[in-house]
C-alpha cells in the first residue's frame, strides 16, 4: 500500500478537505476527510491520520505501507511493532507489515485545543459530566471542542450519510448551548474496510484517525471508553474497546495526547451520572438501530432502560424512549436480559450488583421466565447436537 502526500483543498462552501491518494492491491483512489467552514485551521498536513486509519486494512491484506508524506516519529515507532502486536491479538487473521515513511516529525509543539468525541451516548455524555459540566476539572482537560465523525458507525452509502447528517443535526444545538464548537468530520474511510472488518471490531483506529486529523489545533483528545478497567483485555474479542487504555497511548503523537476516559465507572454508574445532565434528556442516543428515538427493544436500549428503572429515573427520558412499550413488557424484557449469560456476563453482573446496592428486587416472574428461557435453549442445543451426531453416523454407515 502506498499513501500519497496529502492535498489540502478549500471547497466552494468554505469547508476544507484533506485528500491522500491510496494505491493498494484493491486499486487506486483517494482517502478523504472533510471538515466544515471555520475548522480548517485544526487540520494537519501530516500523514498520521491515513496511516492509523488504514493500518488494519493493510495488515489484513499483508501489504507493507509506503508513505510519501511525513508522519510522527513516535507514531512510527509504536505502529511498527507494539500496536500491530495488539491488533493481531485481537484479530488473529491480521499479518505483521512494515511501515516505510519518507519523513519523520519529532520536535513539534502541541496545540492548546482539547477535544472530546461526542455521539450523545452514555459513554460520551459521561466524559462531559466529568470534564465539562463538573467545576472540578483542570483547564488542560476541559474540552474546547466536540468532535462528531463519520468513519463507519452510521452505516454505508447514502443511507449511512443521511443518518450521519440526521444525528449531527440533533447534537448541534446541545453543543451550541454549551458553547462548544461541534467539529463534523466526514470521511470515506469505511469504504477501505473489507467485509469481516466491521466497525465494532475496528472502531478504535477508525475513530482516532479522525482525532489525528485535527492535531494542528487539538493537543489533547478525550475518547469515551466503553469498559471498566477490570475488563481490560488483549486477545480475540468482539472489538478493540477492551484494549483502549493500552492502545491509545500507542496511537498518540508528539503533539496530540489521546486519552481513554471513563474506565473508572461501571455502565450503571455512568448511566446514573448522565441522568443528572438535563441536556441528555433531549438527545440521549444509545440505540443500535436508526431512528429519531431509541427503539426501546435492542440490547443497548434494554440495559439503559433497566438501569434507569432500577434508579427510579425512567421518567426523565420519556421523550427519548418508548416507555409505554417497556413498562407493558417489563418482565419479559428483564427475563431476556437475565437469561443471556454468555458474551454479556459482565453486563449482567454489573446490573445485578447495581440492583442489589439499590435494594431493588427483581420481579419473581422475570426470574422464572429467565430460568425457563435458559432451560428451553439448553434443550434445543442438546437436541441439535444429537441430530448432528445421528446424521454424522448415518453418513459414516453409508460409506
Amino acid at each position: 500500500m502506498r499513501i500519497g502526500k496529502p492535498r489540502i483543498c478549500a471547497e466552494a462552501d468554505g469547508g476544507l478537505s484533506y485528500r491522500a491518494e491510496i494505491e493498494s492491491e484493491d486499486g487506486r483512489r483517494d482517502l478523504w476527510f472533510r471538515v466544515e467552514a471555520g475548522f480548517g485551521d485544526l487540520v494537519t498536513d501530516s500523514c498520521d491520520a491515513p496511516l492509523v486509519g488504514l493500518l488494519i486494512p493493510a495488515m489484513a491484506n499483508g501489504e507493507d505501507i509506503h508513505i510519501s508524506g511525513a508522519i510522527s516519529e513516535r507514531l512510527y515507532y509504536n505502529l511498527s511493532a507494539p500496536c500491530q502486536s495488539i491488533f493481531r491479538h485481537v484479530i488473529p487473521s491480521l499479518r505483521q507489515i512494515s511501515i516505510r515513511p519518507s519523513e519523520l516529525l519529532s520536535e513539534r509543539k502541541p496545540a492548546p485545543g482539547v477535544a472530546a468525541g461526542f455521539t450523545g451516548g452514555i459513554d460520551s455524555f459521561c466524559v462531559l459530566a466529568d470534564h465539562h459540566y463538573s467545576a472540578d476539572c483542570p483547564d488542560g482537560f476541559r474540552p474546547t471542542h466536540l468532535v462528531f465523525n463519520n468513519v463507519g458507525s452510521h452505516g454505508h452509502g447514502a443511507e449511512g450519510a443521511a443518518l450521519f447528517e440526521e444525528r449531527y443535526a440533533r447534537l448541534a444545538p446541545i453543543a451550541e448551548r454549551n458553547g462548544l464548537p461541534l467539529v463534523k468530520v466526514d470521511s470515506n474511510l469505511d469504504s477501505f474496510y473489507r467485509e469481516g472488518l466491521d466497525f465494532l471490531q475496528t472502531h478504535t483506529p477508525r475513530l482516532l484517525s479522525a482525532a489525528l486529523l485535527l492535531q494542528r489545533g487539538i493537543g489533547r483528545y478525550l475518547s469515551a471508553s466503553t469498559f471498566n478497567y477490570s475488563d481490560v483485555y488483549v486477545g480475540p474479542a468482539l472489538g478493540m474497546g477492551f484494549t483502549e487504555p493500552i492502545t491509545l497511548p500507542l496511537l498518540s503523537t508528539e503533539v496530540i495526547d489521546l486519552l481513554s476516559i471513563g474506565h473508572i465507572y461501571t455502565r450503571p454508574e455512568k448511566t446514573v451520572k448522565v441522568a443528572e445532565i438535563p441536556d441528555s434528556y433531549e438527545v440521549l442516543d444509545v440505540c443500535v438501530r436508526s431512528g429519531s428515538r431509541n427503539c426501546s427493544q435492542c440490547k443497548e436500549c434494554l440495559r439503559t432502560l433497566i438501569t434507569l428503572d432500577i434508579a427510579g429515573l425512567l421518567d426523565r427520558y420519556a421523550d427519548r424512549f418508548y416507555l409505554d412499550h417497556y413498562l407493558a413488557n417489563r418482565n419479559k424484557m428483564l427475563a431476556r436480559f437475565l437469561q443471556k449469560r454468555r458474551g454479556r456476563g459482565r453486563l449482567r453482573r454489573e446490573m445485578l450488583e447495581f440492583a442489589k446496592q439499590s435494594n431493588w428486587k427483581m420481579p419473581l416472574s422475570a426470574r422464572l421466565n429467565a430460568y425457563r428461557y435458559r432451560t428451553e435453549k439448553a434443550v434445543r442445543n442438546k437436541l441439535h447436537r444429537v441430530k448432528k451426531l445421528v446424521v454424522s453416523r448415518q453418513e459414516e454407515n453409508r460409506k
Side-chain angles (χ1 to χ4, degrees), residues 354-387:
F354 178 60
K356 182 179 179 181
Q357 292 171 355
S358 304
N359 295 316
W360 192 82
K361 300 296 183 182
M362 192 71 67
L364 178 61
S365 60
R367 286 181 282 161
L368 291 174
N369 279 333
Y371 177 77
R372 178 170 63 85
Y373 294 156
R374 288 197 298 269
T375 302
E376 290 174 350
K377 185 175 181 180
V379 170
R380 287 196 302 271
N381 289 342
K382 188 170 184 178
L383 289 174
H384 180 67
R385 289 194 296 270
V386 169
K387 184 178 179 180

Side-chain angles (χ1 to χ4, degrees), residues 74-308:
R74 175 179 173 182
L75 193 64
Y76 167 69
Y77 175 80
N78 285 326
L79 264 58
S80 292
C83 203
Q84 287 192 52
S85 177
I86 292 173
F87 288 177
R88 291 175 66 202
H89 276 94
V90 177
I91 308 175
S93 62
L94 299 182
R95 287 173 277 179
Q96 182 75 28
I97 64 171
S98 295
I99 299 172
R100 296 174 180 147
S102 60
E103 182 184 353
L104 295 177
L105 302 171
S106 57
E107 296 183 6
R108 295 181 291 166
K109 185 179 179 180
V114 179
F118 184 55
T119 63
I122 291 292
D123 295 329
S124 64
F125 258 122
C126 187
V127 172
L128 295 188
D130 285 345
H131 295 79
H132 172 70
Y133 295 101
S134 171
D136 298 329
C137 182
D139 289 343
F141 293 82
R142 188 176 293 277
T144 59
H145 297 73
L146 301 179
V147 177
F148 182 66
N149 56 51
N150 181 24
V151 289
S153 63
H154 311 288
H156 315 293
E159 185 176 338
L163 183 58
F164 170 59
E165 295 293 342
E166 177 188 326
R167 287 171 169 170
Y168 170 80
R170 189 160 58 234
L171 296 175
I174 298 297
E176 183 177 3
R177 182 188 306 166
N178 284 274
L180 294 171
L182 182 58
V183 185
K184 181 171 69 170
V185 181
D186 198 3
S187 178
N188 68 337
L189 177 63
D190 180 62
S191 66
F192 287 83
Y193 281 73
R194 70 188 190 193
E195 188 175 353
L197 296 173
D198 60 30
F199 180 79
L200 177 62
Q201 191 180 38
T202 60
H203 72 278
T204 300
R206 294 189 193 214
L207 293 173
L208 274 304
S209 68
L212 290 165
L213 177 77
L214 306 174
Q215 61 183 311
R216 172 168 283 172
I218 301 298
R220 179 165 287 143
Y221 187 83
L222 312 178
S223 179
S225 69
T226 301
F227 304 105
N228 186 268
Y229 275 123
S230 62
D231 301 309
V232 174
Y233 166 72
V234 176
L238 293 176
M240 291 191 173
F242 295 97
T243 72
E244 286 181 352
I246 304 170
T247 52
L248 264 66
L250 297 177
L251 296 174
S252 299
T253 72
E254 294 82 0
V255 294
I256 187 168
D257 189 18
L258 306 177
L259 302 177
S260 189
I261 305 295
H263 294 282
I264 62 174
Y265 301 114
T266 64
R267 180 71 177 200
E269 288 171 342
K270 285 183 179 181
T271 305
V272 172
K273 180 178 279 286
V274 170
E276 297 303 316
I277 303 174
D279 286 333
S280 71
Y281 309 160
E282 300 176 33
V283 299
L284 183 70
D285 186 359
V286 300
C287 193
V288 299
R289 304 170 186 173
S290 60
S292 59
R293 296 171 73 182
N294 296 288
C295 77
S296 307
Q297 298 182 56
C298 71
K299 63 180 182 180
E300 298 296 335
C301 285
L302 183 55
R303 68 177 181 178
T304 303
L305 284 165
I306 293 172
T307 303
L308 293 170

